[in-house]
């Protein structure tokens, strides 16, 4: 049980010994990294730094082997095959990559998203919709920040592609992804899932889920920055043209033409972030050692305590459901600007995020026109930190 060993786990994260007072509640923006991941990155640079899939000398072979082993580790963690795992820069780039690759298939089609989306799952589709002369539909959410079933049923017929966030980074809604995928597929739509806030916190099996694409960021789940994953259904990936091209994504280039490389390398033009990918493999090993089921169980408890403690503050108003929510809470407090809340909490060594969290339409949907303050947790947070947050917020209310 994580409760019994959270101190030990925290001791494996150098950030907490460098900042002994820190109460870090901004893991939805980026998580902290354990020493094993930091050491792995240093190990690559110190011992076998060389470009992958190019040199045939021993050191380059070692780097390539580690890079591809990491892909296998990530694939198995996600319940996918390694040739379905494409290394990108982050979730944002993964979604853009799908969007551009699907452009020819979306000509005068319909792209359906939801009101829960992060800008990264709105703007690439707006761009593609304008290039493909496609229509965009947006499925509404109810007052609890949950996808309206009735509106979904209304908007899904005729959809060419459905793209939705598995977990909302603002409302904390955990979307019933399996159900949405099943319904969209039954209507013949392709499905892409933004898993940026789901993959760090729950056990996934992408083959079981059945979506065509799934995007995530390593930096939100203990991995290095600058590394994202795009999972794609192998059959579709084989069929799609790579939207970006250059070195290493091609087998042969002649004066008159070229032959693309096999999947997944066809979608990885140029030198990849191989150090980040190898570091992410180490992060996955760390998550596997703790166990995603354990992480999910512990975070459910944290999430319940977070809501219970903050709900006691009558001046606080939050977005999202009261139950079955992720371990984050976005809120307003008695007319305080979210940046003022964050600055006050910072004076108590509590790090939270304030603003729109790249989800302005969702804030506007709930009348949060200045944005919100958001506390977001991970398995290294503790109940006494939530108590400290609640006490600091009560103190702030009294100052008014
Ligand atoms: N989607 C969601 C739901 C997110 O929360 C985020 C980041 O906060 C992203 C997409 C974008 O992730 P990145 O900035 O790593 O590309």
């Amino acid at each position: 049980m994580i409760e019994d060993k959270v101190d030990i786990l925290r001791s494996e994260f150098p950030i907490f010994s460098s900042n002994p007072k820190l109460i870090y509640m901004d893991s939805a923006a980026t998580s902290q990294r354990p020493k094993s991941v930091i050491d792995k990155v240093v190990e690559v640079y110190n011992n076998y730094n060389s470009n992958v899939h190019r040199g045939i000398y021993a050191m380059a072979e070692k780097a390539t082997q580690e890079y591809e082993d990491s892909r296998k580790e990530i694939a198995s963690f996600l319940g996918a095959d390694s040739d379905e795992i494409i290394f990108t820069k982050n979730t944002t780039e993964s979604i853009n990559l799908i969007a551009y690759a699907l452009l020819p298939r979306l000509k005068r089609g319909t792209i359906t998203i939801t009101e829960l989306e992060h800008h990264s799952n709105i703007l690439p589709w707006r761009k593609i919709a304008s290039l493909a002369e496609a229509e965009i539909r947006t499925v509404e959410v109810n007052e609890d920040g949950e996808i309206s079933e009735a509106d979904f049923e209304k908007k899904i017929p005729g959809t060419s592609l459905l793209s939705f966030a598995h977990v909302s980074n603002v409302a904390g809604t955990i979307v019933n992804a399996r159900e949405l995928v099943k319904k969209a597929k039954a209507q013949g739509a392709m499905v892409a899932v933004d898993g940026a806030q789901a993959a760090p916190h729950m056990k996934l099996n992408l083959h079981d889920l059945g979506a065509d694409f799934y995007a995530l960021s390593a930096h939100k789940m203990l991995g290095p920055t600058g590394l994202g994953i795009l999972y794609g259904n192998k059959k579709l990936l084989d069929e799609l043209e790579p939207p970006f091209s250059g070195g290493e994504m091609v087998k042969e280039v002649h004066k008159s033409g070229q032959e693309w490389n096999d999947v997944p390398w066809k979608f990885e033009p140029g030198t990849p972030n191989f150090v980040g990918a190898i570091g992410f493999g180490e992060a996955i090993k760390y998550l596997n050692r703790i166990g995603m089921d354990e992480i999910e169980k512990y975070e459910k408890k944290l999430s319940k305590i977070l809501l219970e403690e903050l709900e006691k503050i009558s001046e606080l108003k939050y977005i999202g459901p009261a139950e079955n929510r992720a371990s984050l809470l976005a809120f307003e407090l008695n007319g305080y600007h979210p940046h003022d809340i964050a600055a006050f909490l910072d004076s108590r060594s509590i790090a939270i995020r304030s603003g729109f969290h790249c989800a302005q339409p969702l804030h506007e949907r709930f009348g949060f026109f200045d944005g919100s303050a958001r506390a977001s947790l991970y398995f290294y947070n503790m109940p006494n930190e939530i108590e400290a947050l609640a006490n600091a917020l009560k103190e702030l209310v009294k100052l008014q």
Side-chain angles (χ1 to χ4, degrees), residues 28-29 89-93 95 116-118 120-121 165 167-169 194-197 216-217 219-220 353 357-358 374:
K89 197 167 72 184
N90 47 34
T91 300
T92 306
E93 190 181 66
I95 297 172
L116 285 178
E117 307 315 318
H118 186 280
S120 295
N121 201 30
V167 171
S168 159
N169 67 319
D194 170 357
Q197 298 296 345
L216 57 100
S217 294
H219 71 92
K220 293 187 196 290
R353 184 156 167 203
H357 325 304
C358 303
R374 181 187 71 185

Side-chain angles (χ1 to χ4, degrees), residues 315-331:
E315 294 81 0
L316 184 142
K317 198 175 132 208
Y318 69 92
I319 301 177
E323 277 171 18
N324 188 33
R325 46 176 305 125
S327 57
L328 63 85
L329 199 78
F331 56 90

Side-chain angles (χ1 to χ4, degrees), residues 120-180:
S120 295
N121 201 30
I122 301 174
L123 300 180
W125 299 118
R126 280 194 189 164
K127 181 102 188 203
I128 288 313
S130 81
L131 293 171
E133 296 172 58
E135 177 199 351
I136 295 206
R137 293 179 189 161
T138 305
V139 179
E140 290 168 10
V141 293
N142 63 22
E143 281 308 303
D144 287 335
E146 287 161 337
I147 290 174
S148 153
E149 264 185 58
D151 200 45
F152 183 81
E153 300 290 351
K154 207 163 78 191
K155 299 220 165 113
I156 213 67
T159 292
S160 328
L161 173 108
L162 166 71
S163 189
F164 65 90
H166 195 166
V167 171
S168 159
N169 67 319
V170 171
T173 318
I174 301 170
V175 171
N176 188 343
R178 193 186 274 269
E179 190 69 17
L180 296 199

